[in-house]
Amino acid sequence: MYFRVLLYVFSTLLLLGCVGEGETSKSVSEDAAQTPVPVGSEGGVIRFDGTGTLDLEVGAVADGLTLSVDVAQSQAFPDAQNSLSKVYSITPIETALFDKADLTIPLPSDYQADQQYVLARLVNNTWVPNFNSRIEGNFISAEIYHLGIYGIRKLPNVSTFKSIGPACDMAAVQQTIRFVHVADLHSRFGYKERLYSRLKSLHLTSLEENPYTVFTNGGDDYEKGNVAEQVSMGRASSLATQAMEFDVRVVGNHDYAWGEDELLAYAQDETALVLASNTQYVGEKAQGFPTHKFGIIDVGCVKVGFLGMTSGPWNELDKEYKERPLPDFIDNFVMDYEFTEVAEGLVRFYGEQVDYLVMVSHLGWADDRIAQNVPEINLILGGHSHDKPQIHRYNDNQSIVIEPDIYGMGATVIDIEFNLFDKTSRPVRFENDEIQIDTLDINTFHEPLDNKIAEIVKTYLEDPDYKVAISENYPDRNDIEKVLADALMFTHKVDAVLLGAYDLADPFSLYPWQAGGVTQQELHDAFPVERQPSNTLGFNAVYSVEVSGADLESMVGQQPQWQYFGEQQFNPDSSYTVALYKGAALNPSLFFNDVNFENPTALNDSWRVIEEYGRYRTSQCLHLDTDTQLNACKEDEFITLWQFDNSEDPFLADYGPSTMKLFNPDRKSYSDEVIFEKISQLEESIPSLSGFDATVMKFPRFKINEGLKVRHNVDANGDFSEQGLVSDYSLVMDILWPSESVAKYRPLLQTSLNYESEIEDEKKAEIRFESIEGERTTGGVGFDGFCGEMLPDTWYRIALVFYSAPFDGTFKVYINGELACEKTGRNITERFALGEQFLLLTDGTWAAQPGYLNAALFAGRSLSEKEIKMMGGPSAKMTFSQEKATTSETILRHQQSAPGRPYNPWLEQRNKFFK
């Protein structure tokens, strides 16, 4: 691009008759020639072409700049038929100003009063219009922020882009337009929550209620969300956005993330008016950038005008650029950050052609106050702020500004009623709780969109649920960075890792992975990518730098809050390769005194580094975060199964190390009512198990000092292993609650023997069945909110899987092999970890109820989803199959995906086991 710019500037100077900076053009009249003028930071006015002026603000240019203005006829420049007669070359061309300059040019004789004109700058053979241009008397003027080649251009006419709803009913006296608005979706099109599907369903439902519904998008469709975007280099997000079939959308700052080609593809949209009012494409790609500065949509009897603008860029420190000159996002896209002036100009040029003006904005709340300065804008549908949904009214309540929820979690729905005689308008409903819609409250889905998104994801992800690694523990921020450091040392052979430079607390607390299998998506969620500056690695990517031992010791000492991994004794004369986050690597002076880096080397986005490392670890049958073997790569010694059909000792386990017996320290007779009988021999009638007459345990309403006690006899594990506790474990039970037990609290698992605790809450079972009020007959299982739906007098196989952790542990409930719910939160902590013993079917609140138990399984580890799915629903005989074959296949796939890594000879020796 730079070669093309220089070549064009050189050829232009030749056309003007200039052989060097400062020489006067000989191809224009004598009174138009301008002698080079030295300018400085004090600013001043430069006159040219008789009455033309360039008024530089103080500080607009640096001291020592020599400026000249040369004049030529427009025929020597591109698209001359739409230009007026003269073109002004202000050199040095392409100089960005630190503050504005006012450029005023006399109107030539070929000016037509009935035509709209703007000043425009020629960049890469493309004229970039300046919408803050104003014609006053015989002059046209504009604020400019670049020196360059300027001319007067005719503005194109704007025609209707599309029509929405039935044709105008000429007899109607009023009409209501509904706007369904979303913003900052950030590629949250994942298949599990089905957010895009719900939002599209909301749009279609609104269309059924009101055919004059406009579906709008406030920008930022890329980044932070689905990992399919990363794998596809942006394409998946582009396709998902287009599949939503918006009516109007604006380009957001994150939508520049993947560069020119992807942005041009993103702008291709058969249904949407794509707005980029402050952006001009100056590249040469054939498909072009089919966006609009201003667009018109006929909505019934109302002609609605739309403009939309993009906020400023952000840097590798995750901070917005504030100091001028502000950079463009990427090459070949010229930005105008004078938002108010652009809006005023578009309203001035096109406002009279429409009945109602809407700005679809990606500027954020601070700049959406543009509504105060441009009162002609009736409605601003905002985005970019990442704040809670908000509504404001300005200009005596005539201008409305709204911003919806982010990440696809909400939409704003607002109805505007129009008087069709005078086209005045008013919001029909306006209270925040009326117009803000929570996406998860939308219980209808758009199946065609679901199918399309599934197709998009599958194109780039072989299997979204594929586990690239297995984590033994549930990590916090420090643990995750320790894994990243190990990965960097392994994959990139760095000597040391020093991680810090900005606050990673929020991403890590919101997006940790859990113990067990870890997918690409979960790795990406731990390090969500924001490619800043645009079309570069994410701001939490890692770079390597070369420093001396003395400098490394100084760096570690200057940042004691950062995490350091590597040698503790530094040889001051040795050279060290050190990995840092991007912001610190590219800005050493902000973080280290007297330490400089030469040529920092980009390594990769952090999640990609861990992914490569994780695949290798799995290929070696090792956990991602510890050096212990994967459970599925060794004989499972932590599974115990009870079928309760041993006539001599029903509590004797069929296999496994754990033991179970009646808990009856007071030796009261009530526990004698625990009986073991075939279903056909019971006094009462209950269903068989899949047609089989199984032996089951009938248990009574246990008192507080009764129940079933299990001694697990397995090794401590997980986050609380140092306290001797089992943090990660699973419990599976075939259970039936009779009708008389329904609608009552029913304890299931108490993780300790605190049934006599003086603290009331500690007496309660950690996991219990829901007590139901009213006429409901179904219940769920859980503790703080209940999962699933279970009928009385029906057998169910309930599987509980725990990952207890100091912060944000996880608890999963499976019913008949299918995941019913997953809860993550700060209350799944040490209380849910197991000591040596725990209780079943009782607690210290006298709340137990009678029921039936067919079989039980305890695992001193967290069972995988596939293992639980293989167990299926309740059956006469509970069986468990370790995930051997699946793991063998997974490990072989990982070995293939880690070329150049040593093959694991241990795995070959285990072939028989895997079969």
Side-chain angles (χ1 to χ4, degrees), residues 175-224:
Q175 177 189 310
T176 299
I177 297 179
R178 173 170 293 180
F179 294 92
V180 177
H181 181 60
V182 299
D184 299 281
L185 296 177
H186 285 295
S187 75
R188 292 311 205 272
F189 52 84
Y191 62 97
K192 289 186 177 179
E193 299 84 1
R194 302 169 72 186
L195 300 180
Y196 279 27
S197 177
R198 295 173 193 254
L199 291 170
K200 186 62 183 177
S201 175
L202 172 65
H203 168 224
L204 296 178
T205 301
S206 296
L207 271 175
E208 292 175 1
E209 297 173 357
N210 181 356
Y212 300 117
T213 292
V214 186
F215 193 24
T216 60
N217 176 355
D220 271 8
D221 294 311
Y222 291 82
E223 301 201 301
K224 306 182 188 180

Side-chain angles (χ1 to χ4, degrees), residues 538-666:
F539 72 80
N540 58 24
V542 279
Y543 281 56
S544 66
V545 298
E546 300 294 327
V547 298
S548 68
D551 282 344
L552 177 56
E553 184 174 13
S554 175
M555 291 163 59
V556 173
Q558 291 182 52
Q559 295 294 347
Q561 301 303 314
W562 294 13
Q563 287 215 90
Y564 171 74
F565 308 91
E567 296 180 13
Q568 299 301 313
Q569 299 296 323
F570 307 104
N571 185 338
D573 299 323
S574 295
S575 178
Y576 291 81
T577 301
V578 183
L580 301 166
Y581 285 130
K582 181 180 181 179
L586 300 184
N587 301 273
S589 62
L590 297 179
F591 305 98
F592 311 111
N593 295 324
D594 302 321
V595 178
N596 292 303
F597 310 142
E598 292 185 4
N599 302 319
T601 301
L603 300 179
N604 213 331
D605 283 311
S606 294
W607 81 270
R608 283 289 201 183
V609 175
I610 298 179
E611 181 196 22
E612 180 183 353
Y613 177 65
R615 287 179 182 272
Y616 169 72
R617 298 282 293 183
T618 304
S619 75
Q620 304 302 295
C621 268
L622 294 173
H623 284 92
L624 174 63
D625 55 334
T626 68
D627 288 330
T628 58
Q629 281 186 2
L630 301 180
N631 289 318
C633 291
K634 56 187 177 182
E635 295 288 358
D636 206 325
E637 302 173 352
F638 300 141
I639 304 292
T640 302
L641 176 67
W642 295 271
Q643 197 63 58
F644 307 120
D645 56 2
N646 186 312
S647 58
E648 295 183 3
D649 184 2
F651 287 112
L652 181 66
D654 290 48
Y655 59 83
S658 303
T659 62
M660 181 188 297
K661 64 179 182 179
L662 283 174
F663 179 61
N664 188 12
D666 295 340

Side-chain angles (χ1 to χ4, degrees), residues 108-412:
S109 58
D110 50 355
Y111 164 71
Q112 299 172 353
D114 59 348
Q115 177 68 46
Q116 300 276 22
Y117 294 94
V118 292
L119 277 176
R121 179 166 66 102
L122 189 66
V123 183
N124 290 5
N125 285 344
T126 300
W127 289 102
V128 179
N130 188 323
F131 286 108
N132 69 50
S133 304
R134 291 180 177 274
I135 293 176
E136 296 178 349
N138 296 321
F139 296 89
I140 184 169
S141 61
E143 294 177 359
I144 66 172
Y145 287 86
H146 290 82
L147 305 184
I149 300 169
Y150 286 87
I152 306 174
R153 299 276 299 168
K154 296 178 184 177
L155 270 182
N157 294 323
V158 175
S159 57
T160 298
F161 175 79
K162 66 188 291 188
S163 297
I164 294 177
C168 178
D169 180 359
M170 302 303 294
V173 297
Q174 68 180 33
Q175 177 189 310
T176 299
I177 297 179
R178 173 170 293 180
F179 294 92
V180 177
H181 181 60
V182 299
D184 299 281
L185 296 177
H186 285 295
S187 75
R188 292 311 205 272
F189 52 84
Y191 62 97
K192 289 186 177 179
E193 299 84 1
R194 302 169 72 186
L195 300 180
Y196 279 27
S197 177
R198 295 173 193 254
L199 291 170
K200 186 62 183 177
S201 175
L202 172 65
H203 168 224
L204 296 178
T205 301
S206 296
L207 271 175
E208 292 175 1
E209 297 173 357
N210 181 356
Y212 300 117
T213 292
V214 186
F215 193 24
T216 60
N217 176 355
D220 271 8
D221 294 311
Y222 291 82
E223 301 201 301
K224 306 182 188 180
N226 200 296
V227 74
E229 177 188 313
Q230 300 300 314
V231 177
S232 67
M233 300 180 67
R235 194 75 189 109
S237 292
S238 176
L239 293 172
T241 299
Q242 292 161 355
M244 287 284 278
E245 296 183 337
F246 291 102
D247 295 312
V248 185
R249 58 186 177 92
V250 67
V251 179
N253 59 298
H254 283 278
D255 300 329
Y256 291 82
W258 293 94
E260 179 177 357
D261 289 340
E262 177 57 31
L263 181 55
L264 297 181
Y266 165 77
Q268 311 289 327
D269 199 314
E270 295 180 357
T271 64
L273 173 71
V274 184
L275 297 167
S277 300
N278 61 325
T279 308
Q280 178 67 48
Y281 178 58
V282 297
E284 297 178 345
K285 296 294 176 69
Q287 71 266 45
F289 187 49
T291 57
H292 299 259
K293 305 292 189 295
F294 189 91
I296 298 174
I297 294 180
D298 289 337
V299 187
C301 297
V302 182
K303 195 174 287 291
V304 183
F306 291 90
L307 64 148
M309 286 186 275
T310 307
S311 61
W314 292 55
N315 64 22
E316 65 276 2
L317 295 169
D318 194 30
K319 297 183 183 297
E320 190 172 8
Y321 287 100
K322 295 295 185 182
E323 301 297 325
R324 289 190 177 277
L326 298 178
D328 299 325
F329 283 98
I330 55 177
D331 291 345
N332 293 333
F333 290 84
V334 178
M335 307 299 300
D336 187 340
Y337 299 118
E338 303 308 306
F339 307 127
T340 298
E341 288 76 5
V342 172
E344 287 175 336
L346 290 170
V347 170
R348 185 165 59 252
F349 295 130
Y350 299 117
E352 293 184 358
Q353 299 181 35
V354 299
D355 304 313
Y356 192 74
L357 268 170
V358 178
M359 178 174 171
V360 184
S361 167
H362 194 78
L363 302 183
W365 280 116
D367 291 304
D368 280 343
R369 288 197 292 270
I370 194 172
Q372 293 175 292
N373 304 320
V374 190
E376 295 87 352
I377 299 176
N378 303 105
L379 175 64
I380 292 182
L381 302 172
H384 181 61
S385 290
H386 285 221
D387 204 346
K388 64 181 180 180
Q390 296 188 51
I391 307 170
H392 293 287
R393 300 186 78 166
Y394 299 108
N395 305 318
D396 296 327
N397 293 328
Q398 296 305 303
S399 299
I400 302 171
V401 181
I402 64 176
E403 188 161 336
D405 207 343
I406 62 172
Y407 295 154
M409 295 306 296
T412 298

